[in-house]
Structure formats: structure tokens, C-alpha cells
Amino acid sequence: MRRLAGVVVSALLFGFGATAQDRGPKGDRARDSFEVLADLVETYGVSGYEAPVRDKVRTYLPGWTRPKVDDKGNLLVTFGSGPEHLVFVAHLDEIGYVVAAIRDDGTLVVERRGGYFDRYFEARPVLVHSGRGPISGIISPR
């Protein structure tokens, strides 16, 4: 899902935000686009906790944009004038889990965020984001 957000950012950054002179040779533009997309894909943002991705997207927007965040957490960027508007819609979030409780034995009770099958993640490593930093874990098989 974050990949689509990266496409929108790349369109703004490399398609609208810079002149041909700013972009340099074609190879540089492709490398730069890949680096932007890689940076976005590597930024975590489980549904309901997309702020890190949203903040990262904002850093890549051209200086002439005036991004705003609405009360739902959506990042809005408008430009141009007149009655016609072009709209880009992209997800900033990704599938994942949110910790609902920590049991006495240290295992976690989690709630699924997004549409997917839990069985695909059984016995797989996970990264739990906590106030004290990331913690490695594994999803117990049923």
C-alpha cells in the first residue's frame, strides 16, 4: 500500500516539482525515484498509526506545495486554480497488528489491522514498535 503513496510522491517530486534541469540525467532521476520509493516503503505505518509515513511523504513534497493534514489524518495537497481539480488518492497505511494487551508470560494479545489472513504470518518474525524502540518478536503458530 505504501508503494502507491510513493508513486504519488514521485509524481509530485519528479513530475511536477522540479524542472528538467533540476532532475539531471535520466539515470539520476530513476535512481532518485527508487531512493524515494525505498525510503517510503521502509517507513512503518500500520492502519491507524500512519503518522510516520505521512511525515515522510511531506519531506519529499516540493517546496511550493502547501500540504495540510485534516482531522482524519489525511494528507491533502492542492495546487493550481480554477474549477477543475486533479485528485490523487493513495493509501499511506499498511496491514499489521496493534498490541491490545501484554499477558503475564510476556506474550502479546494483538488486533489485526487491514484485510489479510493471519495464517500467512504464523511463525514469522515481527517488529513491535514501542515507546522504548523496536522489539523483535515472532508470531506463534496456532
Side-chain angles (χ1 to χ4, degrees):
M1 288 183 228
R2 286 184 298 206
R3 287 176 176 81
L4 184 55
V7 172
V8 171
V9 170
S10 289
L12 283 172
L13 181 60
F14 298 108
F16 303 118
T19 65
Q21 182 180 3
D22 294 334
R23 288 188 290 233
K26 187 175 183 178
D28 290 343
R29 184 174 60 211
R31 184 187 71 243
D32 291 345
S33 294
F34 179 79
E35 289 171 2
V36 168
L37 292 174
D39 195 24
L40 290 171
V41 168
E42 292 170 357
T43 304
Y44 297 100
V46 172
S47 297
Y49 299 88
E50 305 93 337
V53 179
R54 183 180 57 239
D55 295 342
K56 182 69 70 171
V57 168
R58 288 180 88 159
T59 67
Y60 283 110
L61 292 173
W64 52 262
T65 61
R66 299 291 176 251
K68 296 177 184 171
V69 178
D70 69 9
D71 59 344
K72 299 283 187 184
N74 298 305
L75 180 62
L76 308 171
V77 179
T78 60
F79 51 91
S81 61
E84 299 289 324
H85 287 79
L86 179 63
V87 177
F88 291 101
V89 178
H91 289 271
L92 293 173
D93 62 345
E94 62 184 325
I95 60 174
Y97 296 96
V98 172
V99 175
I102 302 173
R103 295 183 180 130
D104 290 338
D105 65 359
T107 59
L108 305 178
V109 176
V110 296
E111 296 174 354
R112 183 176 34 185
R113 294 291 173 105
Y116 57 94
F117 298 107
D118 290 318
R119 68 178 171 260
Y120 294 132
F121 298 95
E122 290 180 359
R124 302 286 183 180
V126 294
L127 194 60
V128 178
H129 298 275
S130 74
R132 289 183 268 167
I135 302 167
S136 297
I138 190 163
I139 297 182
S140 299
R142 287 183 273 167

